[in-house]
Amino acid sequence: IWTACMFGGEDASRAYNESVSLILFGDLNRVVLEGSIQKLIGRHEALNATFSTDGRFMTIFEKTSIEVLYQDISQLNKTQKNNAINNYLSEDANNIFDLAKGPLIKISLLKLSNLEHQLVLTAHHIICDGWSLGIMLEELGGFYSAKIQGVTPDVPQPDTFSSYVEEEQEFINSAEYVKTEKYWLKLYETSVPMVTLPTDFPRPQLRTYK
């Protein structure tokens, strides 16, 4: 992903954006929501990460403060409101993240009315995927509900990204890895088959990121 973004530029980078939005109905405690968001960011190493300019290193900060961008569009009429939402979602999905400076996640809250808000969460695919977004939303809901109800949130202890990397390095140095590597090298030692799956349209001469 890092390499694609470096060679493909902004078009490639925005193509890797993951975005999801939630419509929240009812009374919303904005202070509690923003506190829950900070708690979510603080517990996952990937959400506090940036990457070196040569792509070799991943830096995980002890704490990253994410400003929740807030827009009140509750005074607009229905047509104006829908246009404002659609324009914002399109603009947000095309946000250009700086992989070296971060943060690589962006969270916004749109006020549609006193009893309706839209929470928009956008992050770069280099730190999360669709499955990650589901976990994040589930934990965010857990933190918010627990704070409102005055109870302890029931969320599991997160696995650290660094421990995953350490386990991966251990596997690379294992006999099992060597055996697996030899299997694949032997399987394709004469040639690698060309993928000939049909496509919906002719492949362009130059790759695009649409």
Side-chain angles (χ1 to χ4, degrees), residues 85-117:
I85 292 171
N86 291 333
N87 290 337
Y88 184 83
L89 292 178
S90 176
E91 188 178 304
D92 193 69
N94 285 283
N95 179 67
I96 303 298
F97 289 103
D98 189 325
L99 302 188
K101 294 182 179 179
L104 301 181
I105 183 171
K106 179 184 177 186
I107 301 177
S108 308
L109 183 66
L110 307 179
K111 181 180 178 180
L112 311 184
S113 71
N114 288 335
L115 296 177
E116 185 178 359
H117 294 75

Side-chain angles (χ1 to χ4, degrees), residues 6-151:
M6 292 302 106
F7 282 101
E10 291 187 349
D11 283 344
S13 184
R14 65 166 62 95
Y16 281 108
N17 284 353
E18 301 274 350
S19 189
V20 64
S21 61
L22 288 179
I23 304 296
L24 308 174
F25 295 106
D27 290 319
L28 180 69
N29 188 319
R30 185 177 158 194
V31 173
V32 173
L33 176 63
E34 293 187 0
S36 300
I37 289 171
Q38 299 304 333
K39 185 172 290 188
L40 172 71
I41 300 297
R43 76 189 236 107
H44 292 290
E45 288 186 336
L47 301 181
N48 294 275
T50 60
F51 296 80
S52 62
T53 53
D54 60 5
R56 295 178 60 205
F57 302 101
M58 180 178 182
T59 301
I60 297 173
F61 294 91
E62 288 186 1
K63 183 178 181 181
T64 301
S65 181
I66 301 293
E67 178 187 2
V68 180
L69 303 176
Y70 180 75
Q71 283 192 24
D72 185 348
I73 59 174
S74 59
Q75 302 305 314
L76 301 179
N77 63 44
K78 186 176 181 180
T79 300
Q80 292 173 328
K81 195 177 296 183
N82 288 336
N83 289 336
I85 292 171
N86 291 333
N87 290 337
Y88 184 83
L89 292 178
S90 176
E91 188 178 304
D92 193 69
N94 285 283
N95 179 67
I96 303 298
F97 289 103
D98 189 325
L99 302 188
K101 294 182 179 179
L104 301 181
I105 183 171
K106 179 184 177 186
I107 301 177
S108 308
L109 183 66
L110 307 179
K111 181 180 178 180
L112 311 184
S113 71
N114 288 335
L115 296 177
E116 185 178 359
H117 294 75
Q118 185 159 347
L119 181 69
V120 185
L121 191 155
T122 302
H124 199 282
H125 189 43
I126 202 166
I127 63 165
C128 78
D129 55 17
W131 190 269
S132 307
L133 290 174
I135 293 174
M136 290 158 63
L137 292 177
E138 184 177 351
E139 292 185 357
L140 183 59
F143 288 135
Y144 180 86
S145 297
K147 184 67 175 179
I148 293 294
Q149 297 169 13
V151 298

Side-chain angles (χ1 to χ4, degrees), residues 131-200:
W131 190 269
S132 307
L133 290 174
I135 293 174
M136 290 158 63
L137 292 177
E138 184 177 351
E139 292 185 357
L140 183 59
F143 288 135
Y144 180 86
S145 297
K147 184 67 175 179
I148 293 294
Q149 297 169 13
V151 298
T152 302
D154 183 18
V155 293
Q157 184 67 24
D159 292 325
T160 61
F161 189 80
S162 52
S163 64
Y164 165 77
V165 174
E166 289 171 357
E167 290 179 12
E168 187 178 49
Q169 289 300 313
E170 289 178 8
F171 175 66
I172 289 175
N173 296 321
S174 69
E176 183 182 358
Y177 177 86
V178 174
K179 181 181 178 181
T180 303
E181 183 181 45
K182 286 182 178 179
Y183 169 81
W184 290 107
L185 290 175
K186 181 173 178 57
L187 186 65
Y188 297 120
E189 63 183 350
T190 55
S191 66
V192 178
M194 182 178 292
V195 178
T196 57
L197 294 174
T199 57
D200 298 326

